[in-house]
Amino acid sequence: MSSKPVKPANVDTPQGLAFAMAAYLMWGFMPLYMKMLAHIPPAEVVAHRVIWSVPIAAVVLIVLGRTNDLIEALRTPRTLIMACVTAVLVSINWGIYVWSIASDRALDAALGYYINPLFSVALGAMLLGERPTKAQGVAIALAALAVAVLWIDAGTLPWAAVGLTVSWGFYAFFKKSLPVGPNQGFMLEVLILLPLGLGYVIYLSTTGQGHFTVAGTDMALLMGAGVVTAVPLMTYANGAKLLRLSTIGVLQYIAPTLIFLVAVLVFGEPFDHARMIAFPMIWVALVIYSVSMWRQLRHSKM
């Protein structure tokens, strides 16, 4: 008898939908939490996101019985090098995200995550020789044109949006090649970043610049940053395994839509004329992209 694991069926499951929806809702409302940390420098917030993610990720791996996979990864130089690359990229993404929320640029964060699927298609074409469909090409062009509208209006690129798109796009690209499961991969990344995070927090504490003190609520908020970082990522990782790619493709727009609504309705960020032009262009591009992706998947099953 074969001992190979049975590949899960490519169908949507209620558990997968619940996990994915929960993850995207948490990501969508995360700006509300990060706004409470706006008075703390982004680098310090990112350091605590790393530090307090480690115990949560460790508990999950212990419960799932996947610690052996992590140990094997730590013993494999190639895996470690690749994990260092993804760790750097995800920390850059976190830093830009925290800065954008603190700097009243949550709309830029929403824009960045809206564009990300289209950037991934362009990345596949440039680096993997994948050929996007004509519809996908139109969608990518529309997204680029939307960024150009914002660029011309402001006189400078929307750097936060571009930075989030590029860092997460390359993170996802390299993450595909990381030969460990998503939960183990996340634990490996935060373990790699842990010495830097701890070192920076200790430096801030010894120089009197840190915010992690017993007095006040900053300590609790910084510890909670690990929860709001690790829980959505690991929840999503488990949900993605139980859903079809087409379903994930549609659900991924929940988070930036919620970030957009929070930015405008809660934070009161201005939705000026340039954004009134650029965001609808992005939304149309995403509709074109989603329809094209759905047709591709449908055709592949015929």
Side-chain angles (χ1 to χ4, degrees):
M1 294 179 63
S2 174
S3 60
K4 291 184 179 179
V6 179
K7 185 179 180 179
N10 185 32
V11 296
D12 294 327
T13 66
Q15 298 94 332
L17 190 61
F19 276 130
M21 285 290 292
Y24 283 121
L25 287 172
M26 285 187 279
W27 276 326
F29 289 112
M30 191 186 293
L32 297 173
Y33 191 92
M34 290 299 166
K35 200 69 169 179
M36 292 188 288
L37 294 166
H39 61 289
I40 300 176
E44 185 175 358
V45 175
V46 171
H48 282 281
R49 290 185 75 172
V50 169
I51 293 168
W52 302 109
S53 289
V54 171
I56 297 170
V59 168
V60 170
L61 289 188
I62 291 170
V63 170
L64 295 177
R66 297 296 179 88
T67 53
N68 287 337
D69 295 341
L70 178 65
I71 293 170
E72 181 62 29
L74 288 169
R75 291 173 176 171
T76 309
R78 181 175 177 273
T79 301
L80 274 177
I81 292 171
M82 293 175 64
C84 285
V85 173
T86 58
V88 169
L89 288 167
V90 79
S91 62
I92 291 171
N93 184 270
W94 290 348
I96 297 172
Y97 176 81
V98 171
W99 176 85
S100 66
I101 301 301
S103 303
D104 298 324
R105 294 180 177 272
L107 277 174
D108 283 350
L111 178 66
Y113 290 124
Y114 270 134
I115 295 174
N116 184 69
L118 304 176
F119 178 75
S120 293
V121 173
L123 204 60
M126 290 184 292
L127 300 182
L128 299 177
E130 298 175 355
R131 296 183 63 183
T133 64
K134 290 182 179 179
Q136 289 172 340
V138 170
I140 293 169
L142 266 177
L145 191 57
V147 172
V149 168
L150 295 173
W151 186 356
I152 294 169
D153 178 72
T156 181
L157 270 174
W159 288 110
V162 173
L164 286 170
T165 299
V166 172
S167 59
W168 191 261
F170 276 104
Y171 172 73
F173 175 80
F174 287 110
K175 185 84 168 179
K176 284 184 178 181
S177 303
L178 195 62
V180 292
N183 292 327
Q184 300 95 305
F186 175 70
M187 180 62 174
L188 186 58
E189 288 162 358
V190 290
L191 277 178
I192 289 169
L193 295 169
L194 184 61
L196 292 173
L198 278 174
Y200 186 61
V201 168
I202 291 171
Y203 164 76
L204 292 176
S205 178
T206 55
T207 57
Q209 302 177 63
H211 292 77
F212 192 72
T213 57
V214 176
T217 59
D218 286 349
M219 183 174 72
L221 287 171
L222 287 169
M223 291 178 69
V227 177
V228 300
T229 297
V231 172
L233 271 170
M234 302 186 88
T235 301
Y236 169 78
N238 287 280
K241 295 184 297 185
L242 303 172
L243 292 174
R244 292 178 298 167
L245 180 61
S246 57
T247 303
I248 296 170
V250 174
L251 293 179
Q252 67 183 326
Y253 305 133
I254 293 175
T257 299
L258 289 174
I259 294 172
F260 172 85
L261 292 173
V262 168
V264 175
L265 301 178
V266 181
F267 298 160
E269 292 188 16
F271 194 56
D272 53 30
H273 292 299
R275 284 170 170 165
M276 286 181 185
I277 297 171
F279 271 87
M281 290 173 68
I282 293 293
W283 295 331
V284 170
L286 292 174
V287 170
I288 294 171
Y289 163 76
S290 298
V291 170
S292 174
M293 181 185 67
W294 180 78
R295 286 177 175 172
Q296 277 186 310
L297 289 171
R298 187 180 178 187
H299 180 73
S300 66
K301 295 176 181 178
M302 294 177 63

